[in-house]
Amino acid sequence: MSNFKGNNNSKALKTAFDRANYKLNAFSPSEIQVVDFNFAEKSFYGRVNRQLDPVIANESFLRTFHNQDFQIINFVGDQFKEMYIRYENALNLSLINNEDPNLSKLTVIRGWESPIKGYSDFMASFMDDFLVKKMIPIDRKIDSFETFLKFFEAHVLTEDIGSKITLSGFMKSKQSSAFNTGLALQLAPVGFANDANKESAILNSPNYAFFMNMAKQFGFSVNLQNPSVLVSDLAHPTTTKFRERYTLLTVASVFEKQYYKTNNFDFDLLSQYLLDTYNSFVYLRPNLKEVYVCNNKTKSNISKRNNINSIDYIILLLLYIKIRNMEELFPFSDSEMRSIHNTSTRLFAITPEQAMQFIESQFRDRYNTKEGSLTYYQKKLQK
């Protein structure tokens, strides 16, 4: 009989109790390699750099492991290969059970997943819904691209609040995961939702102790929420050895050399989605009918809507700041956002990169005071 019964189908109170039971009792306190990746900044692990800027892996540093159909960051591939070889040796020497379906032989079933594809899929669906359900029904009210932007802003900031519209927001949301980092891999078909399945497939495995020891020895954290998922511990001494093969001498250098900051892409991506959606609207509704009264008679004038191919960066910067403010749960007031906009506009005229880095730095600084951050918990404990 299972000791852990948590799943997403129970009532809220029972689910909370069952989840707490699993979290407190599934692992021994001595198993320090088990990490709660839902706690504070740990939830962003691999998706932000050391300064908490959202990042994505540079795909040129991804490697395919053996003939298995998955990719992982180069040094993590080397790291896992060593663990894989040690595991194979143990199996061949009959040091571990050879009949366990999950932990007798390490088979990766999930590795790196493209965050760009995930983000693009989400935004394509989001913008299509906005076009079809919001714009088309009020097509007569949209007489210009400027009007379209006002409707879009209102929709995002008031009606569809919570959606992550920028790539930066997407990477810090639950819409992305550790599998978007190139640092995580999954070794068994065990989901995150059902605690009983985790227990039967992993925790009760005759090879569980050996598996946990190998993970610890080779520098992998075991995901508390799903112990079939390994995540490279970048600061672990063993991981350091593999990092250094690629002249990645510090954890910070991993993100500096092998990852991109997402704010480098945010502005152009947002601009393109807005242009594409508006131009699709123009294609579907090419004519604008304006009704007016003249000499007590109702008349109409029909004009052509025109495609556009660029957006004033000053206007788009302000919209971007408002969207990032929404994504970060509104840390700034309207006056503070105007101040950020004024500075970023001046910087954008120098280089767009400076403007985007400045904007992200403002939200990063505010994050450290936000409820749920590590700083928040540290201050709470000090009281």
Side-chain angles (χ1 to χ4, degrees), residues 17 22 59-60 64 88 97 111 156 165 168 221 234 277 290 308 311 338-339 343 347 353 363 376:
F17 176 83
Y22 171 84
E59 294 182 29
S60 67
T64 300
E88 286 283 290
N97 186 295
V156 169
I165 306 302
S168 292
S221 297
L234 296 175
T277 303
E290 298 176 284
I308 61 168
I311 308 174
R338 285 193 295 271
S339 177
T343 302
L347 291 172
E353 290 77 14
F363 288 105
Y376 165 82

Side-chain angles (χ1 to χ4, degrees), residues 240-259:
T240 301
K241 180 184 73 172
F242 291 106
R243 283 197 283 105
E244 289 176 346
R245 294 180 181 178
Y246 299 91
T247 64
L248 303 171
L249 305 183
T250 64
V251 173
S253 69
V254 172
F255 298 105
E256 291 166 1
K257 295 182 178 182
Q258 298 200 163
Y259 286 74

Side-chain angles (χ1 to χ4, degrees), residues 302-369:
I302 296 178
S303 59
K304 280 283 191 182
R305 292 187 172 96
N306 297 313
N307 286 337
I308 61 168
N309 54 27
S310 64
I311 308 174
D312 185 337
Y313 75 87
I314 297 176
I315 294 173
L316 188 57
L317 270 178
L318 182 57
L319 176 60
Y320 174 76
I321 292 166
K322 290 179 178 179
I323 291 174
R324 287 293 291 124
N325 197 53
M326 178 270 292
E327 292 174 336
E328 296 290 336
L329 303 181
F330 302 99
F332 292 111
S333 66
D334 288 345
S335 61
E336 289 172 320
M337 284 192 289
R338 285 193 295 271
S339 177
I340 295 172
H341 180 239
N342 290 337
T343 302
S344 61
T345 298
R346 292 195 298 272
L347 291 172
F348 198 97
I350 303 171
T351 65
E353 290 77 14
Q354 288 188 48
M356 302 308 287
Q357 288 173 14
F358 168 74
I359 293 170
E360 195 59 39
S361 72
Q362 301 305 294
F363 288 105
R364 180 181 63 228
D365 292 345
R366 281 293 170 94
Y367 175 82
N368 286 327
T369 63

Side-chain angles (χ1 to χ4, degrees), residues 132-237:
V132 174
K133 297 178 181 179
K134 299 296 180 179
M135 293 178 63
I136 297 299
I138 58 167
D139 61 334
R140 291 187 180 182
K141 294 183 179 180
I142 302 174
D143 56 5
S144 66
F145 181 70
E146 288 70 26
T147 306
F148 159 77
L149 282 182
K150 291 178 181 178
F151 277 105
F152 179 79
E153 178 181 325
H155 174 69
V156 169
L157 300 184
T158 60
E159 296 181 39
D160 217 338
I161 189 170
S163 295
K164 306 306 179 185
I165 306 302
T166 68
L167 181 59
S168 292
F170 180 86
M171 288 306 294
K172 291 180 70 176
S173 76
K174 292 182 179 180
Q175 292 168 271
S176 64
S177 74
F179 295 107
N180 295 132
T181 67
L183 303 176
L185 42 87
Q186 184 171 354
L187 303 176
V190 179
F192 284 77
N194 193 305
D195 293 342
N197 289 345
K198 303 170 196 175
E199 183 179 9
S200 62
I202 305 296
L203 303 182
N204 290 342
S205 165
N207 295 333
Y208 172 76
F210 183 80
F211 169 74
M212 294 295 283
N213 184 51
M214 287 295 98
K216 180 180 179 181
Q217 182 176 333
F218 284 94
F220 286 100
S221 297
V222 175
N223 191 327
L224 181 146
Q225 284 74 32
N226 186 338
S228 74
V229 175
L230 299 181
V231 183
S232 178
D233 178 355
L234 296 175
H236 192 281

Side-chain angles (χ1 to χ4, degrees), residues 69 82 107 113 119-120 129 135 169 193 219 235 239 272 294 298 306 377:
D69 188 24
E82 292 286 333
T107 302
E113 296 170 353
Y119 171 72
S120 298
D129 279 351
M135 293 178 63
T239 311
Q272 196 59 56
C294 181
T298 301
N306 297 313
Y377 285 116

Side-chain angles (χ1 to χ4, degrees), residues 11 22 27 80 83 112 157 282 379:
K11 292 183 178 179
Y22 171 84
F27 302 96
F80 181 67
M83 178 177 169
W112 175 80
L157 300 184
V282 171
K379 289 182 178 179

